[in-house]
Amino acid sequence: MSKVDVLLGLQWGDEGKGKIVDVLTPDYDVIARFQGGPNAGHTLEFNGIKHVLHIIPSGIFHKEKLNVIGNGVLIEPAIFKEEVEALREKKVVPENNLYISKKAHLILPSHRLLDAANERAKGNAKIGSTLKGIGPAYTDKIARTGLRVGDILEFDFREKYQLLKFQHLQMAKTLNFDIDSFRIGEMTLDEYEAKWMDSLETLRAFKLISSEYFINNCLREGKKVLAEGAQGSMLDIDFGSYPFVTSSSTITAGVCSGLGVAPSTIGKVMGITKAYCTRVGAGPFPTELFDETGKKLCELGHEFGATTGRARRCGWIDIPALRYACMLNGVTDLIVTKPDVMNDFDEVKMCTKYIINGKETDEIPFEFNEVEITPKCDIYPGWKQSLASTSKYEDLPKQLLDYLSVIEKVTGVNIYAVSISPDRKDVLFK
Ligand code: GDP
Ligand code: IMO
Ligand code: MG
């Protein structure tokens, strides 16, 4: 029986999960997404190609490897169809190596309407959702009113769809939301619904399976499975900066419920962190920089959302948050991305503690959103050189190696690899 290795984000998302999964895929037989949905944007770069995936796992470019969308994932069929078409343009035929769980829940156009209605109703307290319908679709899942991929094969799917949509419209009206002026892109709800219904054909062309049996059979046959996380631990529904979170379990525990594998099958847990920190959307971010350095990180790191195009907020690496994420996930191996963004910095800072009401702490407080947090930072000298020609971990500049070894020390987790560019070829294994 082999194990399920896990790769997930330790911050507020966009740590470079897509790139690293693509790099690790040759070592695995199956790549499986276990949570999230089209709110994710996972960027892959290789051979001059840049490609962003949302619902489809990041192993898809490796034709001989199987990819699975697990039961814990949400599928928006119209976005899924666009993803499939974008892959076809790059000569990838995902029907050949992508299986989808019949138990994965569907995002309806009216879930997207409700997402917008909920955000509008929150006013200044809005979460900054990607507006892909994530919150409302997971709400229906938990309320036991949702529709699943397997339902599209049933004769009464349309009827169930209409019933659920009716309920959504009632809710939107209760929120005084102007349904007639709602648009997805340029489309009205009715126009988008027609597109959505058409795209069910694309979904039906895929192998729709009971992914829990499939994955457990793979493990019994000794096949290696990699679970690909979306979002990040600080966006986790339970442990993130609630309510400024997404609506799924983004941590290792989510792998078990999102794929149907037992806790005892979990192998390595690879946690990714940027060498600094970013966040997109609202919510607390203690190390956020509002100065020129913050702007520089955003510009040099091209920190614009892969799903929404929004500028990401930037700041120094946050060790209390990182330690918390390592604890929650049982991280066995750290992967650090994007130190190259700070190549010309004179100094690099690391927040090691929070100061709250004059007291130092290294715990994330329950009142994370309400209290004023001053980050206590240590300063490290910059490496002031390009990393472009570095091909071995130990050849990285000494200042960077020192910085990385402090990260290992304060988290208690060894670094497994460092990524030094967006490209597939630039990962240095320690
Ligand atoms: P994900 O959501 O975790 O897959 O990450 P995103 O794709 O949303 O954002 C990561 C961004 O950083 C993408 O534009 C990647 O191409 C880019 N990237 C990944 N690793 C590195 C790296 O080591 N250095 C630099 N400069 N960019 C990177
Ligand atoms: P990947 O997988 C960064 C953020 C949104 C918002 C909050 C809730 O690319 O790392 P939602 O659409 O889930 O209702 O949004 O979570 N968010 C992400 N931020 N990366 C992501 O995914 C994200 N997915 C959601 O910006 O603040
Ligand atoms: Mg992303």
Side-chain angles (χ1 to χ4, degrees):
M1 183 100 175
S2 55
K3 298 266 182 189
V4 180
D5 287 350
V6 181
L7 181 133
L8 41 71
L10 300 176
Q11 300 173 305
W12 278 284
D14 305 327
E15 299 89 350
K17 299 174 291 291
K19 171 189 165 160
I20 299 297
V21 168
D22 172 52
V23 168
L24 296 179
T25 296
D27 296 340
Y28 291 89
D29 301 295
V30 179
I31 311 300
R33 277 277 304 271
F34 59 93
Q35 48 69 234
N39 49 349
H42 294 181
T43 315
L44 281 55
E45 284 194 41
F46 52 91
N47 306 339
I49 294 176
K50 178 174 171 171
H51 194 91
V52 181
L53 294 161
H54 301 285
I55 311 171
I56 296 176
S58 300
I60 198 70
F61 281 91
H62 300 256
K63 297 192 171 82
E64 66 295 353
K65 306 293 178 171
L66 277 175
N67 289 266
V68 173
I69 298 179
N71 58 280
V73 176
L74 296 179
I75 298 189
E76 206 279 37
I79 296 180
F80 177 75
K81 183 179 179 190
E82 282 168 14
E83 263 191 271
V84 168
E85 284 169 353
L87 284 168
R88 284 210 189 104
E89 273 170 31
K90 292 187 176 129
K91 308 269 178 286
V92 176
V93 185
E95 284 88 341
N96 293 342
N97 65 333
L98 174 65
Y99 297 172
I100 302 172
S101 168
K102 284 188 195 169
K103 296 192 176 75
H105 277 245
L106 291 172
I107 299 179
L108 274 52
S110 48
H111 281 131
R112 299 188 61 175
L113 171 90
L114 267 186
D115 216 355
N118 288 337
E119 282 284 72
R120 178 82 53 89
K122 285 195 161 91
N124 284 342
K126 73 174 193 224
I127 292 163
S129 163
T130 61
L131 299 179
K132 303 295 179 197
I134 301 293
Y138 276 126
T139 301
D140 272 330
K141 174 177 176 173
I142 301 301
R144 301 165 292 185
T145 47
L147 287 174
R148 298 181 292 175
V149 167
D151 292 328
I152 66 173
L153 307 172
E154 304 290 326
F155 71 96
D156 58 350
F157 176 71
R158 289 267 177 163
E159 213 174 293
K160 285 180 179 162
Y161 172 93
Q162 291 301 344
L163 193 64
L164 189 55
K165 177 187 163 189
F166 177 76
Q167 289 169 6
H168 293 161
L169 295 181
Q170 294 303 312
M171 286 185 225
K173 282 181 195 153
T174 316
L175 292 166
N176 286 326
F177 191 70
D178 181 359
I179 298 169
D180 293 335
S181 2
F182 174 69
R183 295 285 179 279
I184 298 177
E186 308 277 289
M187 292 187 190
T188 62
L189 188 64
D190 288 346
E191 286 164 349
Y192 195 78
E193 179 178 76
K195 175 178 159 157
W196 190 94
M197 286 290 178
D198 280 349
S199 61
L200 293 178
E201 257 341 287
T202 304
L203 199 51
R204 284 195 194 99
F206 279 77
K207 200 166 169 189
L208 308 180
I209 61 167
S210 290
S211 60
E212 63 279 29
Y213 280 115
F214 177 78
I215 290 184
N216 279 288
N217 284 337
C218 285
L219 295 177
R220 258 194 295 281
E221 289 163 12
K223 294 204 172 108
K224 292 185 72 186
V225 178
L226 177 65
E228 172 182 3
Q231 290 77 56
S233 302
M234 298 307 287
L235 288 170
D236 179 77
I237 183 72
D238 284 279
F239 302 105
S241 44
Y242 193 90
F244 301 100
V245 293
T246 189
S247 300
S248 66
S249 271
T250 62
I251 58 174
T252 307
V255 176
C256 296
S257 56
L259 292 179
V261 294
S264 56
T265 64
I266 301 294
K268 279 208 304 196
V269 179
M270 295 172 272
I272 302 202
T273 172
K274 285 180 193 177
Y276 50 97
C277 195
T278 65
R279 172 164 206 170
V280 59
F285 182 3
T287 62
E288 183 168 12
L289 292 167
F290 300 93
D291 57 4
E292 284 307 308
T293 311
K295 265 195 215 140
K296 232 172 122 176
L297 283 171
C298 184
E299 276 160 27
L300 298 172
H302 304 289
E303 295 296 355
F304 296 91
T307 296
T308 58
R310 291 177 292 176
R312 296 176 184 145
R313 301 153 66 190
C314 296
W316 299 118
I317 195 165
D318 178 335
I319 298 299
L322 197 57
R323 281 163 48 101
Y324 187 56
C326 287
M327 173 185 85
L328 294 170
N329 290 299
V331 175
T332 58
D333 299 78
L334 272 179
I335 297 170
V336 180
T337 59
K338 306 188 91 164
D340 54 289
V341 171
M342 302 192 287
N343 280 348
D344 77 342
F345 283 30
D346 292 326
E347 55 187 33
V348 175
K349 293 190 188 171
M350 181 186 287
C351 164
T352 52
K353 291 209 184 313
Y354 295 162
I355 304 171
I356 301 173
N357 296 327
K359 281 203 193 111
E360 279 185 14
T361 175
D362 48 16
E363 285 192 7
I364 308 293
F366 174 78
E367 310 79 6
F368 203 29
N369 307 320
E370 283 87 41
V371 288
E372 196 178 318
I373 299 176
T374 310
K376 184 182 172 211
C377 288
D378 291 344
I379 301 175
Y380 295 90
W383 38 97
K384 305 283 284 177
Q385 58 182 282
S386 165
L387 308 178
S389 58
T390 318
S391 57
K392 284 198 208 118
Y393 186 91
E394 57 274 23
D395 293 341
L396 286 168
K398 181 174 180 309
Q399 294 89 334
L400 175 55
L401 285 174
D402 288 347
Y403 178 73
L404 295 171
S405 67
V406 176
I407 295 178
E408 288 184 314
K409 197 169 139 230
V410 293
T411 56
V413 186
N414 284 335
I415 290 177
Y416 170 59
V418 172
S419 165
I420 54 167
S421 96
D423 198 278
R424 184 192 267 175
K425 65 182 170 19
D426 289 321
V427 177
L428 313 180
F429 290 90
K430 192 173 165 194

